[in-house]
Amino acid sequence: METDDSEKIITLLERLKTSSAPISEDEVISVLSATVESCHVPCRDAPEDVPYDATEFENVAREAEMHLCILLRLLDSINNAKKEGQKFSPQFLKCVIVGCVSVACEYRNSSWEWSNEQAAKTSRDILNKLCDLCECNNLQALLTGRQIAEDSEEDADAIRKETNDEVFEGYMKFVLEKLSESLKKSTWKSYPAVKMVYQYMLELLDHRSISIHLPYLLPPALFITDDWEKRNKVLGLSALRHILTKTPGSELRFYGRAAVIFDALKPLLYAREVEVLDELYPTILEAAKVLEADPAHAGKLRSQTCYEVILEQLLREMYGEQKLALRSLYSRTLPEVIAAMGIVALRWSQELMEIFKDYLATYDGRDAKDRINILKGIKKYVQECWPQVHMKIPDIMKMLVRLAYDVTDEDSDVEPKAVHLIIQEIEVIVQLLCDAAPQTMLKACCGITAVPCHAKCKSVLERISVIVESRELK
């Protein structure tokens, strides 16, 4: 900050503290704008392909905290003047709120490389002071105007008479406009704090207010997801998931937005980072859900659905995968994909049976989480594909008996709790198979108790036999 600006700020703060004269809006805006500009996290000088770290932002938080304190003192003076009866113009309030929100949100989390505890605390105080100034319960109400909409019609009318239209409509549009000056595809990596403000603004928007801001929200989510850095991919995927879950499907299908999102996510199905895939699968399943709900698809048999694109690549990645973290991720994702596909999963029965067999036969540690997840996948397959599941009953029962034999063997080190869960899942699957095809199950399980095995496994087989016979009697 220039020396002249510093002197102007000191002079203004002293006068506001000692004088009872009305506040000059132009003077306050001039000082506030200069302070806000000095407070922003500085632009990076490093190339875009060089990740940032905390060493780049030494002393940033300390200097910013001084400027944040100035903003807080200005807001105190404005708030006091308002309580004493001074009326402020809508344009003045907009400049104050947009400027303070845009900069305070850059430091609101002390874990960020450019912030610290004191800066974060002052930032939160600024946001709270803005809410007090506009008589809103929280920042979401201030930015989206939801506070009034949630009141009764009589209360809303009364508030409209006492407040200006800007407060009722909220200030989110103006904050996003300000944010978009730096949050561009060509410049956003030079301003690392801007993406965090974007994420926070997005979290404040719910299904009632997100649609009208999509032109500001969707492009950043897409180009952040497309970045090479893992942490940026994860942040972008999280943003896309929020947009997909909070925006009506009809809005997303309009102008082909959902199709653009799905096409942007498909290349990430080849990713190998667990953190990225952990965010990707729920997000791309949401995108597929929106696209598959398109009324234009009703009554049409297509060669491949969006869900099949996901399942095909998932099965390809699962086959022969050796990395334990990825195997665990794939195994817990598979039931979700099968559930989303519904009966269309029948097309992939043979491929699914091979994966089920491979993962159930492979030791995955004492907790057997992968095996339990695969059993959940089999359960989902039976529930969704029950009209034709009788064709795969022999294959499924062989897998279940082999698994029961393996985990109950005296040489097995699988934890008792995991063994109990596995046996429970096996029994549930057997019950579902009996409901879907009782005669086929009776035939498949004929003589199952006569299979030579150790005592614990024999006990499991006897329980399976009882389930099958009891279903037959019904």
Side-chain angles (χ1 to χ4, degrees):
M1 185 178 292
E2 300 293 335
T3 304
D4 292 343
D5 290 334
S6 299
E7 292 178 356
K8 186 188 298 185
I9 291 171
I10 294 172
T11 302
L12 176 61
L13 290 175
E14 286 297 324
R15 188 165 69 253
L16 291 175
K17 183 178 179 181
T18 58
S19 175
S20 59
I23 291 177
S24 169
E25 292 186 0
D26 290 340
E27 186 178 15
V28 170
I29 288 298
S30 175
V31 170
L32 185 140
S33 298
T35 307
V36 166
E37 287 301 318
S38 301
C39 195
H40 281 298
V41 176
C43 177
R44 295 184 68 212
D45 293 329
E48 291 186 2
D49 58 349
V50 178
Y52 64 80
D53 56 37
T55 59
E56 287 189 40
F57 305 101
E58 291 181 3
N59 301 323
V60 168
R62 188 179 63 203
E63 294 178 8
E65 207 277 322
M66 293 187 293
H67 299 308
L68 290 170
C69 287
I70 294 172
L71 293 178
L72 189 58
R73 289 184 61 183
L74 287 173
L75 291 176
D76 275 329
S77 299
I78 295 170
N79 213 5
N80 292 333
K82 183 183 177 184
K83 290 177 181 178
E84 292 173 1
Q86 183 173 351
K87 301 292 185 180
F88 295 106
S89 67
Q91 188 65 27
F92 172 77
L93 290 176
K94 186 183 81 170
C95 291
V96 170
I97 291 169
V98 172
C100 290
V101 167
S102 64
V103 76
C105 289
E106 291 187 3
Y107 298 93
R108 56 177 292 274
N109 191 325
S110 61
S111 66
W112 295 338
E113 289 84 349
W114 50 84
S115 185
N116 60 23
E117 285 290 347
Q118 190 58 45
K121 181 182 181 304
T122 309
S123 294
R124 291 192 290 268
D125 290 341
I126 288 173
L127 297 176
N128 290 333
K129 189 66 68 175
L130 290 173
C131 294
D132 293 340
L133 177 64
C134 296
E135 299 178 6
C136 293
N137 293 336
N138 50 50
L139 187 62
Q140 184 182 39
L142 173 65
L143 296 179
T144 65
R146 294 309 310 176
Q147 179 173 308
I148 296 176
E150 290 168 359
D151 292 329
S152 65
E153 291 185 8
E154 294 79 5
D155 292 340
D157 290 337
I159 295 174
R160 289 190 192 101
K161 292 178 182 178
E162 296 176 3
T163 59
N164 54 70
D165 289 339
E166 298 292 348
V167 174
F168 175 66
E169 295 296 333
Y171 293 91
M172 181 63 79
K173 176 183 176 182
F174 306 114
V175 173
L176 292 176
E177 285 178 349
K178 174 71 173 176
L179 199 63
S180 64
E181 296 174 4
S182 302
L183 194 62
K184 299 177 182 178
K185 188 173 183 179
S186 58
T187 60
W188 72 275
K189 294 209 73 175
S190 298
Y191 301 92
V194 172
K195 65 182 180 184
M196 310 310 296
V197 179
Y198 163 79
Q199 184 186 38
Y200 183 50
M201 293 298 106
L202 186 60
E203 291 172 355
L204 294 176
L205 293 168
D206 56 20
H207 65 280
R208 298 166 297 183
S209 51
I210 195 170
S211 298
I212 60 175
H213 301 297
L214 273 184
Y216 295 104
L217 300 173
L218 185 54
L222 290 170
F223 61 66
I224 292 174
T225 300
D226 191 46
D227 190 57
W228 63 272
E229 282 192 75
K230 181 171 62 177
R231 60 181 167 185
N232 290 332
K233 286 184 184 292
V234 171
L235 188 148
L237 287 168
S238 176
L240 285 175
R241 187 179 180 187
H242 186 88
I243 291 171
L244 288 164
T245 54
K246 300 299 182 181
T247 310
S250 56
E251 292 276 351
L252 290 169
R253 288 190 293 271
F254 201 51
Y255 296 127
R257 288 165 172 159
V260 169
I261 294 174
F262 188 80
D263 289 341
L265 294 177
K266 279 195 295 185
L268 294 181
L269 290 170
Y270 297 89
R272 300 287 295 171
E273 300 95 341
V274 174
E275 296 85 352
V276 173
L277 291 172
D278 209 21
E279 281 288 341
L280 170 66
Y281 283 114
T283 306
I284 197 170
L285 284 173
E286 285 292 337
K289 179 181 177 182
V290 173
L291 289 173
E292 291 301 319
D294 191 340
H297 295 157
K300 294 182 180 179
L301 183 63
R302 291 173 292 151
S303 59
Q304 192 177 50
T305 67
C306 295
Y307 291 126
E308 289 181 280
V309 172
I310 301 170
L311 181 63
E312 181 179 16
Q313 185 58 34
L314 176 61
L315 294 176
R316 185 179 290 119
E317 296 292 340
M318 292 182 76
Y319 186 77
E321 178 59 56
Q322 299 297 316
K323 191 175 180 180
L324 295 180
L326 285 173
R327 286 178 68 91
S328 181
L329 171 67
Y330 295 146
S331 66
R332 67 174 180 265
T333 301
L334 186 59
E336 298 174 8
V337 179
I338 295 173
M341 289 184 69
I343 198 169
V344 180
L346 271 173
R347 294 180 178 178
W348 299 84
S349 294
Q350 188 57 45
E351 293 84 353
L352 285 169
M353 291 302 133
E354 292 178 5
I355 293 297
F356 291 156
K357 181 179 178 181
D358 175 32
Y359 274 65
L360 290 181
T362 304
Y363 176 78
D364 61 322
R366 299 191 65 204
D367 55 8
K369 287 184 178 179
D370 295 353
R371 286 167 157 176
I372 294 171
N373 287 330
I374 292 299
L375 287 174
K376 292 178 180 178
I378 296 175
K379 182 168 65 177
K380 286 296 180 184
Y381 173 81
V382 174
Q383 289 173 328
E384 301 295 339
C385 305
W386 63 268
Q388 293 293 318
V389 79
H390 63 275
M391 300 174 63
K392 297 299 179 183
I393 281 180
D395 293 334
I396 294 174
M397 288 308 301
K398 287 178 183 177
M399 298 178 203
L400 299 182
V401 171
R402 287 171 179 168
L403 178 62
Y405 182 95
D406 187 11
V407 299
T408 57
D409 187 82
E410 61 181 10
D411 293 330
S412 172
D413 67 345
V414 178
E415 297 173 351
K417 182 179 179 180
V419 174
H420 179 69
L421 289 174
I422 288 172
I423 300 305
Q424 274 188 333
E425 291 291 339
I426 289 175
E427 291 180 0
V428 171
I429 293 170
V430 170
Q431 290 172 353
L432 291 172
L433 290 172
C434 288
D435 291 338
Q439 294 301 320
T440 307
M441 276 296 289
L442 189 64
K443 182 178 179 181
C445 296
C446 180
I448 192 173
T449 55
V451 174
C453 58
H454 49 268
K456 289 184 179 179
C457 180
K458 194 170 189 65
S459 175
V460 176
L461 299 183
E462 288 173 352
R463 287 159 66 180
I464 291 175
S465 180
V466 169
I467 293 171
V468 175
E469 291 174 1
S470 63
R471 284 289 188 274
E472 174 62 17
L473 291 174
K474 292 181 180 179

